[in-house]
Amino acid sequence: MAKTMADRMKASRARMEKVNGQDFVNQQTKNNGRQQGYPRNYNNQNNRRDNSYVNNRGNRGGNNKYPDKPASAAYNFIRLPNTVIPAEFYNGNLEGVTSDVLNAYCKHVKQEGSHTGYIDLTLTTETPLFIGGPSKQDETTPLEFYGGPNNPTIPGASLKGMVKQIFKIVTASSFRPYQRGSGLGDFEDRHLYFRDFASSINSLKDYYAIRMVGSEKNGRGEEKAATKATPGFIIQTVNNNYFAVPSVSKKMSYTDDYEMQKKKDRPSIDWTDKYVNIHTGKMNSKMSYMRITRPGNFEGQRIPILQDCLDSYADDKNRGTLNLLDKKVGKTGEAAKSYTRCNDVKFVVSCFFTEKDGVVVHFGHGRFYRIAYDLTISDHLPSTLKQHNNGVDLCDSVFGYGDNWAGRLCFSDGHVVGPVRMCQSEYPHPLMGPNPTSFQLYLEQDVDDHVRYNHWGHEDTSLRGYKMYWHQPLAKAKAWTRTQEEKAIKGTRKIRPVDIGVTFTSRIHFNCLSDVELGALLMTLNLDSYSGDNRRTYYKIGMGKSIGFGSIKLESKVTLLDGQERYANLFAGDTWNTGSSNPINSEFIQAFTQYRDNALGSHLSSYKEMLNDLHRMMDWNIANGPNAAKNWTEGISMMTIKNNKMDDRIKYRSKLDMPKFFIEKWSK
């Protein structure tokens, strides 16, 4: 089970104290409390403000280079609920799934008046759709659609994932980090890494400098920046324990050695019997490299590297330099024994590291390496949601709760009805992965001054919420093949998407749902009827959402099965008696909304704002309606580096407006 809020905060503070000392943590806590000059309460809707973009450079620290254009992105976020709607049978004590909770769930499922039946789904592609199937690993072989080009199929698992995410938002369910073994969770929890000692964001620059940057005098007696990290070597013993062995280092000049200059632009390690040379890669102003002396004794001072530190290092997805844990980077086997002169060593590699209380807390390749924030991603969950991590919500009740009970929904595969139309097999635009290190996009920002943005090291800073992709203009979605400039990007394979205008049908079987649970499911599948403002609510499924794929029109029809009616009378006129009926959706949806409103109480208004975010992001008309946003194509284009020039909005970390204001800015 996930930790309680108190456990998480205690663990986070313990890590900070371990790395930086208790006095430093106490001072940081005070600074965080007064940094912005007003209360930092992100969970009270009255204190949480929409982050509209202010076109006043005076609010940006006086930086006249700060871009006027707002951040653009193919995605945005649905804000998190202020509180969670519990399952109908849950007592709300937040103690996890106890025996009492299990008994209550069983009684809930067996109660009279529950509903069993199925919902027929009709899905029509409004943009190209791609869901990859099994394929050869050869990059020259095109990726085919799941089921093959003659029988393209939408897997039931894909439909379940799409419906479950929206169901969670509609029902204001918990927002949890992934839990190993249970399958529960909404995001990957880990420590994010960064390096930034020349940032325009003062708090981030100071955060790094306090941990990594010291000073030393050069030959002329001038103070120069120096690392606080210790040079040395990492060793792995035959028992698979890791240690750091300290050494000494010396700064060497590239200008003094022509052979060394050839290695200036590429991260590498030069091994000699007496020392190693550390090259950290291309940097225009780089004039030196570091030389670490081989220790005379690898057995004397061995500082343990705990598994948590190793896992944290391995989790750094954006390192962009050598992976010191890669056996190809260091020496292994007999070479490691020979270099260390220790029979119990099977791997050795040079490093810089930081030690605290007798253990290594982080390490890296160069002297100013990337370090982890003291807080994890989950530490930025609002406190009102953290306490519900052990609770049971409506989504847990309906879709299943790990090993405690299975879901009561079964999603069948979607199959094509009518003609199959496939696009030509071609290379798509490169699909970029998520980059949560961009805190100006993934964290709530309560100021318009980029110098004082919240980053992952700030306590009481909330995650933005559920990440979803905008619908894109049809013309842009159709132009999904890569450009000449993109041909140089490696790793892209040809794909063959389903074309626009193809219809799939599927079925959701449900068993023993209450009025409230069935109503929540029907509302999830019929958002177009409740979105208002002349919207056309379309859904998103499959791969390539960032380049416009996967926009679908969804229609549903529910059928209830009455077992008693079915078996009481074998025939119904001239046909078999199926006991089926087609109820009016609104009756069940009303049962859900009444339960929802009672459960939310004073939080209902913030819930409706969250639901408005969802409606806005699913509105097809913003991209393709008669009054579509004027500059939408530019607004949903990813900020990139073109012709070796970085977009200023990346450089100055332009924040991402919330959906309402994002639409307003790109409609002008």
Side-chain angles (χ1 to χ4, degrees):
M1 288 298 172
K3 293 181 179 179
T4 65
M5 177 182 63
D7 290 336
R8 286 187 177 280
M9 296 307 296
K10 183 177 180 181
S12 297
R13 185 178 179 90
R15 176 180 169 84
M16 292 173 70
E17 290 180 351
K18 181 178 180 181
V19 178
N20 305 298
Q22 185 174 10
D23 292 341
F24 170 78
V25 174
N26 291 338
Q27 185 61 41
Q28 284 292 96
T29 302
K30 294 179 181 178
N31 291 342
N32 284 341
R34 63 173 179 254
Q35 179 188 5
Q36 308 296 354
Y38 50 80
R40 296 171 59 84
N41 184 349
Y42 294 86
N43 307 313
N44 185 331
Q45 187 65 25
N46 294 326
N47 289 335
R48 188 197 328 187
R49 52 178 291 224
D50 287 332
N51 62 338
S52 58
Y53 197 94
V54 178
N55 289 318
N56 183 347
R57 287 177 177 164
N59 289 336
R60 299 175 190 162
N63 189 338
N64 59 9
K65 294 182 179 181
Y66 196 92
D68 289 321
K69 187 184 296 183
S72 61
Y75 60 85
N76 212 296
F77 297 87
I78 310 300
R79 72 187 74 191
L80 297 173
N82 279 2
T83 190
V84 171
I85 301 175
E88 295 169 273
F89 60 87
Y90 191 60
N91 59 16
N93 289 331
L94 305 175
E95 299 172 348
V97 182
T98 62
S99 58
D100 289 341
V101 172
L102 284 171
N103 290 333
Y105 173 77
C106 291
K107 291 179 181 179
H108 173 72
V109 172
K110 296 176 181 178
Q111 67 181 335
E112 291 187 9
S114 62
H115 307 286
T116 297
Y118 54 86
I119 302 173
D120 287 313
L121 303 180
T122 302
L123 307 90
T124 304
T125 58
E126 301 294 333
T127 63
L129 169 67
F130 186 75
I131 300 174
S135 65
K136 298 180 180 178
Q137 296 301 312
D138 183 2
E139 291 188 2
T140 61
T141 304
L143 282 170
E144 293 291 355
F145 200 98
Y146 186 88
N150 297 322
N151 183 35
T153 303
I154 300 177
S158 297
L159 289 167
K160 179 181 179 181
M162 177 191 74
V163 173
K164 183 177 181 180
Q165 183 188 37
I166 299 174
F167 186 94
K168 287 178 69 71
I169 298 170
V170 168
T171 59
S173 289
S174 302
F175 191 73
R176 303 184 179 104
Y178 286 122
Q179 301 174 23
R180 293 179 181 177
S182 71
L184 297 175
D186 303 283
F187 62 92
E188 180 184 359
D189 189 24
R190 56 190 173 97
H191 287 278
L192 297 173
Y193 274 68
F194 80 106
R195 177 179 59 199
D196 205 333
F197 49 85
S199 176
S200 61
I201 301 176
N202 293 335
S203 61
L204 186 66
K205 178 172 61 177
D206 294 343
Y207 189 88
Y208 185 86
I210 288 172
R211 291 157 176 77
M212 288 295 293
V213 183
S215 64
E216 63 182 8
K217 291 184 179 181
N218 62 15
R220 296 187 295 272
E222 300 169 331
E223 291 286 340
K224 296 291 184 181
T227 182
K228 290 184 177 180
T230 301
F233 290 80
I234 293 173
I235 60 172
Q236 181 188 16
T237 66
V238 292
N239 295 325
N240 290 322
N241 295 317
Y242 282 82
F243 301 91
V245 178
S247 182
V248 294
S249 64
K250 181 181 180 181
K251 185 186 294 186
M252 308 294 293
S253 175
Y254 277 116
T255 57
D256 297 338
D257 192 325
Y258 178 73
E259 291 301 318
M260 288 294 104
Q261 290 181 34
K262 297 178 182 179
K263 302 179 180 182
K264 179 179 178 180
D265 294 339
R266 187 178 175 190
S268 63
I269 301 173
D270 296 333
W271 292 83
T272 74
D273 189 54
K274 295 182 178 180
Y275 57 80
V276 294
N277 294 324
I278 307 299
H279 307 283
T280 55
K282 188 173 184 178
M283 183 181 293
N284 292 335
S285 60
K286 184 176 293 183
M287 302 299 294
S288 62
Y289 61 95
M290 298 302 296
R291 175 171 291 176
I292 301 178
T293 302
R294 177 191 170 278
N297 183 358
F298 276 86
E299 293 180 337
Q301 187 178 1
R302 292 184 177 184
I303 305 170
I305 307 176
L306 303 183
Q307 190 62 44
D308 178 64
C309 180
L310 296 169
D311 291 342
S312 181
Y313 178 85
D315 278 342
D316 183 11
K317 310 297 184 184
N318 300 306
R319 184 173 297 111
T321 184
L322 298 182
N323 177 3
L324 297 184
L325 300 181
D326 185 346
K327 296 302 186 284
K328 296 179 182 178
V329 173
K331 291 181 177 293
T332 60
E334 292 300 321
K337 291 181 181 180
S338 174
Y339 193 84
T340 61
R341 296 174 174 83
C342 295
N343 289 329
D344 68 333
V345 174
K346 65 177 184 179
F347 173 70
V348 60
V349 68
S350 59
C351 73
F352 286 84
F353 67 92
T354 298
E355 172 212 353
K356 185 73 175 180
D357 296 332
V359 297
V360 174
V361 291
H362 45 67
F363 59 87
H365 173 51
R367 53 184 177 146
F368 295 111
Y369 55 81
R370 290 164 60 84
I371 64 173
Y373 290 99
D374 297 319
L375 304 176
T376 67
I377 294 176
S378 67
D379 288 323
H380 296 281
L381 274 175
S383 58
T384 51
L385 295 188
K386 287 180 182 178
Q387 64 185 353
H388 282 279
N389 278 348
N390 284 337
V392 182
D393 54 44
L394 282 171
C395 189
D396 300 325
S397 178
V398 173
F399 281 82
Y401 199 181
D403 295 332
N404 298 300
W405 58 75
R408 285 171 282 148
L409 303 180
C410 179
F411 291 76
S412 67
D413 292 345
H415 296 281
V416 174
V417 176
V420 176
R421 292 195 300 276
M422 305 294 294
C423 299
Q424 292 294 319
S425 180
E426 191 51 85
Y427 291 100
H429 299 302
L431 303 178
M432 304 301 179
N435 185 22
T437 55
S438 299
F439 51 78
Q440 73 278 14
L441 307 180
Y442 282 78
L443 289 176
E444 284 191 349
Q445 303 298 338
D446 48 12
V447 294
D448 293 301
D449 181 358
H450 78 291
V451 174
R452 296 190 294 135
Y453 277 168
N454 299 319
H455 58 67
W456 292 105
H458 282 139
E459 293 179 326
D460 301 324
T461 300
S462 176
L463 296 171
R464 287 285 304 273
Y466 293 92
K467 184 178 180 180
M468 293 186 68
Y469 286 86
W470 295 103
H471 295 298
Q472 300 198 6
L474 190 54
K476 187 175 187 299
K478 287 181 177 179
W480 56 270
T481 57
R482 72 181 184 184
T483 63
Q484 284 292 122
E485 294 177 343
E486 294 168 338
K487 285 187 176 181
I489 301 176
K490 297 181 179 180
T492 305
R493 295 177 64 178
K494 284 186 175 182
I495 61 173
R496 194 196 309 272
V498 167
D499 206 350
I500 298 168
V502 176
T503 299
F504 294 80
T505 59
S506 177
R507 179 172 284 183
I508 305 173
H509 295 270
F510 58 87
N511 187 42
C512 297
L513 296 185
S514 69
D515 289 356
V516 169
E517 292 166 339
L518 181 55
L521 180 59
L522 292 176
M523 186 171 179
T524 297
L525 299 173
N526 292 274
L527 285 176
D528 193 52
S529 302
Y530 301 92
S531 59
D533 294 338
N534 297 316
R535 293 185 172 115
R536 279 188 291 172
T537 302
Y538 288 174
Y539 295 69
K540 278 277 200 177
I541 194 171
M543 302 169 62
K545 299 182 185 74
S546 62
I547 61 174
F549 282 8
S551 295
I552 59 170
K553 181 180 180 181
L554 177 65
E555 298 173 292
S556 64
K557 181 180 179 181
V558 61
T559 299
L560 297 181
L561 299 177
D562 188 331
Q564 291 184 348
E565 170 67 21
R566 179 177 183 180
Y567 294 110
N569 298 291
L570 185 60
F571 295 100
D574 296 331
T575 62
W576 294 104
N577 183 12
T578 62
S580 63
S581 62
N582 301 113
I584 300 175
N585 290 357
S586 60
E587 295 178 0
F588 296 104
I589 293 176
Q590 184 177 359
F592 162 66
T593 56
Q594 183 175 346
Y595 175 79
R596 174 199 70 186
D597 295 352
N598 291 336
L600 291 173
S602 62
H603 297 291
L604 181 59
S605 60
S606 63
Y607 166 86
K608 290 184 177 179
E609 285 299 317
M610 177 184 70
L611 210 58
N612 283 336
D613 286 345
L614 179 66
H615 291 317
R616 293 181 183 110
M617 292 213 64
M618 297 178 68
D619 186 7
W620 176 256
N621 284 342
I622 294 173
N624 298 285
N627 298 309
K630 182 179 179 181
N631 297 303
W632 197 245
T633 298
E634 182 181 5
I636 47 82
S637 298
M638 298 301 294
M639 299 175 290
T640 60
I641 299 175
K642 293 183 179 180
N643 300 322
N644 294 322
K645 183 178 180 181
M646 179 184 292
D647 190 315
D648 282 344
R649 295 172 297 170
I650 300 176
K651 181 178 180 181
Y652 292 103
R653 292 184 178 267
S654 296
K655 73 178 183 182
L656 186 63
D657 289 315
M658 295 180 74
K660 177 182 177 181
F661 297 103
F662 185 90
I663 295 169
E664 289 179 0
K665 299 301 179 184
W666 292 105
S667 296
K668 297 179 179 179

